Amino acid sequence: MLRYARNAALFALLLPAAAQAETSGKVTDFKLDNGMQVVVVEDHRAPVVQHMLWYRAGSADEPKGSSGVAHFLEHLLFKATDTLEAGEFSAVVAANGGRDNAFTSYDYTAYFQRIAADRLGLMMTMEADRMKNIQLTPENIATERDVIIEERNQRTENNPQALFGEQISAAQYLNHRYGTPVIGWMHEMQELDLDDALGFYELYYSPNNTVLVVSGDVTPEEVRALAEEHYGPIPLNPDLPERLRTEEPRQNAERRVIFRDARVAQPYVYRSYLVPERDSGAQETAAALTILAEILGGGTTSFLAEKLQFDTQTATYTTAGYSGVSLDDTTFRMIVVPTPGVSLEDGEAALDGALAEFMEAGVDTDQLERIKLQLRASEIYAQDNVDGIANRYGRALTSGLTIQDVEAWPDILDAVTADDIMQAATLLRREASVTGWLMRPEGVSQ
């Protein structure tokens, strides 16, 4: 009880003054007549807004043989429209003191601007314009295709860790598009053309396939009026397909990947397991997996760090992670970087030994309490980040979750028990795993 009281006092000290006041977190959502979902997160501490338009279309929604087209189209939306010249969108944002960008993932593509609150209408004007009025030509298709190919060269082809990660994902997913890299496979990227881009654009870039998230110094009434003015006239796509994905079969054979590259600076062992994602209305398993990742690999006080870095000194670094926000089954991952002189084989054996020991020992209640405290604090600090709040809701709503799921998540995390965590640990089945070794070729020294 004394320990709990001390932790409660510490938690109170962690609360920023702004978070203790009624300054942020008011969430309102509604739909326009054309099907666009609008989410408003009020935060009146500064006269700025984050305007984010999320499309429920990512790389896992691409047609087979056209990998990379979702990311390709993201680039192309910064080209000309009926009213804007190529590059003018970002120039206007910058001229008004803001910043903008976009990103593509497996389950969504998002475009955002952070700008003064009184410029929100201007952002909607331009974003609505490029939702339906992009002007693509064979010339800018060729130019931008070269850009994404060079991006792959720089970020992936020149990075053995990235190439290794691609191979792990491809081995992990037997039947799902999550096994294809978001940026695309090089040989398919090289063949992307105007028809590929326009086909994806015309199918998915419609208001009934979007989530508009506006966070910052706004009111729901202001956002509704602006959204109805700028986005409301855009017709919905009556032919928008139901969002169906190929499903993974039950995986019954563990897989191994050995990736050798002379550029590898630090060999390591990577383990990935196929596990459930956060499901709407049933997030308890995902919450237990989230805390399990913290227990096993969340820093220097974690179980793997204690056993492998300090007790046996077989590793110089360990970590674990779980990506719960996903439309379909996701992964639970661990990395072990062996100490110099310790082989990858011995590093993997040490990992397996530590996991077996954890299954025997169970959850340390003091560690569980400490992790929950840290998670509560991180949830509170997240309220100070207008960008992060908009991202949280956009990612969730384009990945099958609801606003109610997002708001319930902290309490669900807090309710996780030691038994829940041990039950979640049984989901780490070797038959649904990939173990990878990233290493230099034999005979090649550092």
Side-chain angles (χ1 to χ4, degrees), residues 29 280-281 283 393 397 401-410 412:
D29 76 300
S280 181
Q283 302 182 89
Y393 282 98
L397 294 172
L401 299 173
T402 66
I403 289 175
Q404 292 71 31
D405 293 324
V406 175
E407 293 176 342
W409 181 243
I412 292 174

Side-chain angles (χ1 to χ4, degrees), residues 34-97:
N34 58 13
M36 174 180 279
Q37 183 176 5
V38 183
V39 178
V40 182
V41 187
E42 294 182 69
D43 186 338
H44 301 289
R45 288 172 290 182
V48 297
V49 294
Q50 179 95 341
H51 172 263
M52 301 194 78
L53 190 62
W54 297 73
Y55 291 89
R56 292 185 177 93
S59 65
D61 300 293
E62 297 165 341
K64 277 196 169 182
S66 299
S67 65
V69 70
H71 174 251
F72 185 34
L73 183 58
E74 174 214 310
H75 279 242
L76 291 169
L77 251 68
F78 290 88
K79 298 297 184 182
T81 69
D82 287 350
T83 61
L84 296 172
E85 298 294 330
E88 187 177 355
F89 190 112
S90 295
V92 170
V93 174
N96 282 272

Side-chain angles (χ1 to χ4, degrees), residues 321-337:
Y322 167 69
S323 304
V325 181
S326 174
L327 191 61
D328 299 308
D329 283 349
T330 185
T331 56
F332 189 104
R333 304 164 306 279
M334 287 173 275
I335 292 176
V336 172
V337 179

Side-chain angles (χ1 to χ4, degrees), residues 83-245:
T83 61
L84 296 172
E85 298 294 330
E88 187 177 355
F89 190 112
S90 295
V92 170
V93 174
N96 282 272
R99 60 179 180 84
D100 74 313
N101 213 324
F103 51 87
T104 304
S105 189
Y106 292 109
D107 297 319
Y108 50 76
T109 308
Y111 302 82
F112 68 90
Q113 303 87 40
R114 181 171 171 84
I115 201 159
D118 62 358
R119 303 293 195 275
L120 179 58
L122 176 60
M123 299 303 102
M124 289 192 187
T125 299
M126 295 193 297
E127 199 67 83
D129 179 36
R130 67 178 175 182
M131 182 186 288
K132 281 301 175 188
N133 299 321
I134 193 72
Q135 296 296 316
L136 301 180
T137 66
E139 291 75 23
N140 59 38
I141 286 287
T143 300
E144 209 59 35
R145 186 173 55 223
D146 289 342
V147 170
I148 62 169
I149 288 172
E150 181 57 26
E151 182 178 339
R152 180 176 169 92
N153 281 330
Q154 292 182 1
R155 296 186 178 183
T156 306
E157 302 296 339
N158 290 331
N159 183 343
Q161 289 184 329
L163 291 169
F164 176 55
E166 281 188 345
Q167 297 300 309
I168 292 284
S169 293
Q172 179 71 83
Y173 288 96
L174 305 177
N175 196 42
H176 196 285
R177 292 302 301 276
Y178 287 167
T180 300
V182 172
I183 198 168
W185 297 116
M186 179 67 86
H187 68 286
E188 292 184 346
M189 294 170 65
Q190 292 168 338
E191 300 300 321
L192 292 174
D193 58 20
L194 181 60
D195 288 341
D196 293 321
L198 281 177
F200 200 80
Y201 178 69
E202 292 170 355
L203 184 60
Y204 291 116
Y205 276 55
S206 295
N208 52 321
N209 198 41
T210 60
V211 179
L212 173 65
V213 183
V214 180
S215 61
D217 190 20
V218 291
T219 67
E221 294 76 19
E222 292 169 339
V223 175
R224 182 188 288 272
L226 289 170
E228 288 179 343
E229 176 185 355
H230 298 292
Y231 292 114
I234 303 173
L236 58 78
N237 176 11
D239 299 319
L240 182 69
E242 186 178 354
R243 202 171 192 192
L244 298 175
R245 302 274 183 79

